[in-house]
Amino acid sequence: MKKFSFLLYILFSFSSAFLSSCKNDDPIKARQNAVDKLYKNGTVKIAIANSFESNQSKMWEGAILAQEMINGSGFLPVRLELVKFDDGGTSISGMTTAYQIASDEEICAVVGHGYSDISLPCSLIYQYYGILTFNFISTIHALTERNNPLIFSNMPNDSNFGEEIAILCDKQGLKNVIIYYLENTSGTSLSNAFEINCSKHGISVMSRDSYDITTSRQEFERIVRRWKNNFMFDSIFLAGRMPLIQEIISVIRENGVKCPIVGSDPFDDPLLTTSLDSSENGKIFAVSNYDVESEHPRFREFYSLFKEKFNGEPDQETLQAYDALMVLAKAIGKAASANPTEIANVLRQYVWNEAAGSYTFTQAGAVQNRELTPKVFKDGKFVKITE
């Protein structure tokens, strides 16, 4: 009997210890405790994640500029610490990076990632570990459609871009279009949105084809020749990422197709504009979230500060990262807390006026009423199309 009682005691003790450890292993509660402690000690920690090596992003410079502004302004009562992570440019390496970020319980939020097919799976990891995710550049609409209370985006989504690109085509009199898209999460979503809006504007889709990151130059040439021999078209909608966009445009022109080519924000990249000559004036169009001609006082301040500090031009990723951190820091200041849930609640309550304009967020975390800028290539750069 004593032996049985002793075994019961051991079993009870083990069960109690196990249940206690389970409570302590709650990743969301553990993070809340860690960020609260760090905040009380005068620091808030945010991760910056992107494919820095593979896409030559200037995002980090934008984050550093924002950090200096935040730590020098006083509107955040604690010091902002940034931790840089390279996600490797693929969904697998991106998820590995997300787990690395999650392993640091003092991180309250992450600003990232550059590619939608990385952002989407990583957002689920961050949700499980209770990290607030601020999407700064991915356009995939599914990010804010998963009932995740800790995700926000200051980037318009593919539905917004698809509509504006169709409007641009309509205004330019482009009525018979070829769709050629990168077969990944973002490319498929954007092409779907564009095609839906084509029907609303009387635009005929003559052919829809896809490619992937392994598609050879010979295959690009084959598909362009097929278009020439089989379809009457006046424009090409091209969805993808750099440097593939640059290569495909080169193949299209080398094969004698001179019609306008239309795309979204990845077109608005110095890698593309520096590869084009004056023969492309008025023939390459883009719808972008970045308006370098903006006269908004906060944008002009951001632009001047960036050029002074880094001796170069900012780009879309620079501005998006800068604004994301400014909004986050102000929300943390208003919440007087680094608890991700409390930050999220504050983010939904206010209008945030930053360099790119004003931001308001839906309950799902999507940005509302952001204007996109139609542009045309002219003399080495994209310029805003005025009515």
Side-chain angles (χ1 to χ4, degrees), residues 172-224:
Q172 296 297 319
L174 306 176
K175 292 295 188 178
N176 297 289
V177 64
I178 296 281
I179 294 178
Y180 197 40
Y181 68 99
L182 179 61
E183 194 170 350
N184 65 358
T185 304
S186 179
T188 303
S189 178
L190 175 59
S191 297
N192 290 344
F194 173 66
E195 186 167 8
I196 289 169
N197 281 279
C198 280
S199 63
K200 298 178 182 178
H201 294 276
I203 299 170
S204 298
V205 176
M206 310 308 292
S207 180
R208 173 171 169 149
D209 301 284
S210 66
Y211 62 96
D212 61 38
I213 59 173
T214 67
T215 301
S216 67
R217 191 175 184 88
Q218 290 74 21
E219 176 60 19
F220 291 144
E221 292 172 347
R222 188 196 66 80
I223 198 75
V224 173

Side-chain angles (χ1 to χ4, degrees), residues 49-50 59 111-114 134-138 154-155 317 320-321 324:
N50 201 0
M59 176 202 187
V111 177
H113 296 258
F134 208 109
N135 167 55
F136 83 110
I137 201 72
S138 297
N154 66 333
M155 185 72 173
E317 290 199 5
Q320 287 293 110

Side-chain angles (χ1 to χ4, degrees), residues 54-55 115 241-249 269 271:
S54 61
N55 74 358
Y115 297 136
R241 63 173 66 161
M242 293 294 292
L244 280 173
I245 288 171
Q246 182 181 358
E247 181 179 8
I248 293 169
I249 290 177
D269 187 315
L271 286 175

